[in-house]
Amino acid sequence: MRSGWVWAERAWSSPGHERSTALLVGKSALAATLAWWIAHDLLNAQSPAFAPFSSVLVMNVTIYKSVWQSLRYVAAVIIGVAVQAAIGFTAGPDLFAFVVVALIALTLAQWPALGEQGSQVATAAFFAFSTYAAATTNADRALQLGQIILLVLVGCGLGLMVNLCIAPPLRHHSAEQGLRTLAAAMESLLDDMADGLGSGEIDVERAEHWRAAGERGQRAVGQARAGMNAAENSLPFNPRRLLPANRGHLAFGRYRRTLDAMERAVYQLGSLTRSLGRWRETESTYTYTPVLEAYADFALHLRDIAHVIAEIDSDTLADQAEELCELATLAQKALQKVLDAAEEYGLPLADVSRPYGVLVVEATRLMEEFQNTCEVLQDTADD
């Protein structure tokens, strides 16, 4: 009970997953209740559950997905009922007819155009077969099959109407949140790398931790893309996008370009962590400590860039973009110190049996991607 109360408090006090879930449950219950009332009390349908089931099935987190799921679901039901009607009126309601209906419906359910609603072809066909078998005349059978389609249309229509009219979800903050989460993962990794390189404490366990963190960052890219898609999919058919308060938050091109640049930086960072792991495996001395210290300082500057991106906000994007450009300039200078130290201390960059050349190349490429990220945000902030 205590956990439930805490969950309810979070849903009430602030936007987030809990509030979205509670809102979706409430809207689904309302749509299902209205659909049942129409199907049972007004239409006196023999199978009124089709209507509330349909209204809940098409209720989704975005209007766009609700519309597409409704179209696919209605198409699946019509196909299933049509299969039953064609076989039933031809062969009658016997076991052989059911086998034929099942085979055809389950085959049509694999049609890619129906997406995740493909299974509803067989479901509708089986329910239609049951209804067909219970009817006594062909006219009654045709009426009952038509009623199934009507109930599905009623349920889908109510589900769409409720989702559209009551707080239609607008996920424009999902794009920013995905970038923040990704940048925060990069910030944490870079901070730990800077600490390890600066102190010389790079044991096998720490190197493995870096590799694992790099892989988590790559997974965070997928999560960020999912958030980006959710933000873009919440716009079509959504009346809330027309409100003046939301108009400044609906341009996702800047975030997609930023995510593309950050994705390349993440994979480059992952490659760097693997190179550092190999360095720890092949090097047993710290002859070039000043170079590693310069490398640590470079990582700290990249961490500062990631920190700003982790707090990205469309309302202050212009100021943040300017700060990012300044930080990128400092990071470029830190990278040059790495290159200068490598030359001063005779780092064996050309020795392919040792990892130093790879580390310098990885740092240069990583700087290019971070610089590109900053430039993308600067360009979009000026638009």
Side-chain angles (χ1 to χ4, degrees):
M1 292 180 63
R2 186 180 298 109
S3 299
W5 181 254
V6 171
W7 189 94
E9 283 186 330
R10 287 200 298 265
W12 178 263
S13 61
S14 62
H17 173 72
E18 291 83 2
R19 179 178 292 183
S20 298
T21 301
L23 185 60
L24 187 61
V25 169
K27 290 163 63 174
S28 298
L30 175 60
T33 302
L34 291 174
W36 174 265
W37 175 68
I38 292 176
H40 184 267
D41 295 353
L42 299 185
L43 299 178
N44 294 317
Q46 291 188 4
S47 302
F50 263 108
F53 173 76
S54 300
S55 67
V56 172
L57 188 65
V58 302
M59 187 71 67
N60 211 289
V61 292
T62 65
I63 302 298
Y64 176 80
K65 289 196 69 175
S66 290
V67 170
W68 271 110
Q69 292 302 330
S70 296
L71 293 174
R72 287 171 172 166
Y73 176 58
V74 170
V77 170
I78 291 175
I79 292 172
V81 172
V83 168
Q84 160 54 32
I87 302 302
F89 284 111
T90 301
D94 56 19
L95 183 59
F96 174 76
F98 182 84
V99 172
V100 176
V101 168
L103 289 173
I104 296 176
L106 291 171
T107 299
L108 293 175
Q110 308 306 312
W111 188 20
L114 296 176
E116 59 192 71
Q117 299 299 337
S119 61
Q120 300 302 327
V121 175
T123 301
F126 296 156
F127 273 104
F129 191 93
S130 176
T131 301
Y132 180 89
T136 56
T137 66
N138 285 340
D140 189 32
R141 290 166 177 166
L143 178 64
Q144 295 303 320
L145 294 180
Q147 191 178 78
I148 291 176
I149 296 176
L150 175 61
L151 293 175
V152 168
L153 291 173
V154 168
C156 289
L158 285 171
L160 286 174
M161 184 179 68
V162 170
N163 203 17
L164 180 66
C165 296
I166 301 179
L170 190 62
R171 298 284 186 262
H172 59 273
H173 290 301
S174 297
E176 288 183 357
Q177 186 58 44
L179 290 178
R180 290 171 185 160
T181 302
L182 177 58
M186 297 172 69
E187 177 188 2
S188 176
L189 174 55
L190 286 165
D191 185 69
D192 192 48
M193 287 173 58
D195 179 67
L197 289 169
S199 62
E201 298 176 359
I202 314 176
D203 53 21
V204 174
E205 182 178 355
R206 194 163 200 171
E208 181 59 33
H209 170 73
W210 289 348
R211 282 197 292 265
E215 292 173 358
R216 288 195 298 272
Q218 293 174 11
R219 289 194 295 271
V221 171
Q223 297 171 357
R225 289 212 175 275
M228 191 77 64
N229 292 334
E232 292 179 330
N233 289 339
S234 70
L235 294 185
F237 316 120
N238 196 324
R240 289 178 61 191
R241 74 185 191 280
L242 303 177
L243 296 176
N246 292 327
R247 290 177 182 173
H249 301 276
L250 305 181
F252 300 121
R254 66 179 65 173
Y255 296 129
R256 186 166 291 282
R257 291 172 59 195
T258 302
L259 178 57
D260 290 340
M262 288 184 65
E263 180 178 11
R264 293 190 295 271
V266 165
Y267 284 102
Q268 200 61 53
L269 185 58
S271 178
L272 176 58
T273 59
R274 290 189 292 273
S275 296
L276 286 170
R278 288 193 296 270
W279 172 81
R280 180 60 187 84
E281 294 170 358
T282 57
E283 293 291 313
S284 58
T285 62
Y286 296 92
T287 308
Y288 306 103
T289 298
V291 179
L292 297 181
E293 291 176 347
Y295 216 109
D297 182 62
F298 169 64
L300 284 175
H301 283 83
L302 295 184
R303 179 208 60 185
D304 294 340
I305 295 176
H307 177 74
V308 175
I309 300 176
E311 298 180 345
I312 192 170
D313 189 336
S314 58
D315 293 330
T316 58
L317 184 59
D319 293 335
Q320 290 176 319
E322 183 177 353
E323 182 181 2
L324 284 172
C325 289
E326 294 173 356
L327 291 174
T329 300
L330 295 176
Q332 290 280 10
K333 294 180 180 178
L335 174 61
Q336 187 59 49
K337 290 181 180 179
V338 173
L339 301 178
D340 293 342
E343 182 178 357
E344 180 180 354
Y345 291 92
L347 204 67
L349 302 180
D351 187 349
V352 295
S353 65
R354 306 180 73 182
Y356 295 110
V358 175
L359 290 177
V360 171
V361 171
E362 299 286 9
T364 303
R365 291 175 178 173
L366 187 60
M367 184 65 247
E368 290 175 355
E369 301 303 347
F370 268 83
Q371 181 70 50
N372 188 29
T373 302
C374 297
E375 291 174 355
V376 166
L377 283 174
Q378 178 70 63
D379 293 341
T380 55
D382 293 338
D383 291 343

